[in-house]
Amino acid sequence: MTATTQEDADALRVLRTLEDHRSSVRLRAALTVGTTPDPRFVDKLVERSGVEPDFFVRDMLTWALTRHPVSVTVPALVREVRSERARARSQALHTLSKIGDRRAWPAITPALLSDADDEVARSAWRAAVVVVPEGEEPALAALLVTQLGRGGRETQLSLSRALVALGEAVVPALRAVATAADPPVRAHALATERLLRDPDTGFGYAIEEAKRVVALGGAPDDEGRGMRDEG
């Protein structure tokens, strides 16, 4: 057996172990693939990421993909974000956020940012704020604020973090929502602006305070310092 043939056989063996029924074996296989990157592995890594049930193995698969050339990984992941399977979309977006290559930006569509699956949407928000091109932040903020008030606390926290990551570009969009939206959406907008102004504020405190302010008829103050209580 030639050296090349042996290498091919070893590669196939490693790729097969990514489907082993034991998560510990799959974890070691993903580590091996990431330690010795090979573009031939990328499609299989992306495919496996979309169906892998174990969190730690998925995390290792993501790491392995970040070790490969972006010229190969980004196109494969962009194709995967169009998958019909929510986990595949979510994991591909998560990996794109870790790679951080702006060539992924066109793939993060409004449909993904408002995906019916919370995990997909959360992954899309995180990826979007990482790869958004300079100057596109206000447009992204306008899309993100349409999701304010959505889901439970973890989902709302994810959205607030994404908006805060955009910095001052989000303020006009937040202000528009905070003065015109339904109470839960207003509260989420006010809490997010509070986090933007004071990053040390805990989200739990910020959202509860925002709900109280909204209930009492409060609004953003005129100087942009956050919330005031008019009750």
Side-chain angles (χ1 to χ4, degrees), residues 84-167:
E84 294 182 358
R85 291 176 287 109
R87 176 172 287 175
R89 297 196 301 276
S90 175
Q91 195 63 25
L93 288 162
H94 171 70
T95 305
L96 286 171
S97 75
K98 296 299 183 182
I99 293 172
D101 191 285
R102 287 184 170 175
R103 283 173 288 187
W105 170 246
I108 304 177
T109 61
L112 284 171
L113 294 170
S114 60
D115 197 283
D117 186 281
D118 283 348
E119 286 303 316
V120 175
R122 291 171 64 185
S123 295
W125 303 336
R126 289 192 295 266
V129 299
V130 171
V131 303
V132 60
E134 186 175 354
E136 294 290 332
E137 294 89 350
L140 175 57
L143 289 171
L144 291 179
V145 297
T146 65
Q147 302 302 299
L148 286 166
R150 168 180 175 165
R153 180 154 298 188
E154 287 302 313
T155 298
Q156 293 189 9
L157 174 57
S158 291
L159 181 57
S160 289
R161 284 175 171 167
L163 286 163
V164 168
L166 293 175

Side-chain angles (χ1 to χ4, degrees), residues 47-125:
E47 176 189 339
R48 185 64 206 176
S49 295
V51 297
E52 172 56 50
D54 186 279
F55 169 82
F56 296 103
V57 179
R58 289 199 305 272
D59 201 42
M60 189 65 76
L61 289 166
T62 289
W63 172 79
L65 282 163
T66 66
R67 299 269 297 160
H68 287 77
V70 296
S71 60
V72 180
T73 56
V74 170
L77 291 164
V78 164
R79 290 192 296 272
E80 191 74 350
V81 302
R82 307 187 190 106
S83 172
E84 294 182 358
R85 291 176 287 109
R87 176 172 287 175
R89 297 196 301 276
S90 175
Q91 195 63 25
L93 288 162
H94 171 70
T95 305
L96 286 171
S97 75
K98 296 299 183 182
I99 293 172
D101 191 285
R102 287 184 170 175
R103 283 173 288 187
W105 170 246
I108 304 177
T109 61
L112 284 171
L113 294 170
S114 60
D115 197 283
D117 186 281
D118 283 348
E119 286 303 316
V120 175
R122 291 171 64 185
S123 295
W125 303 336

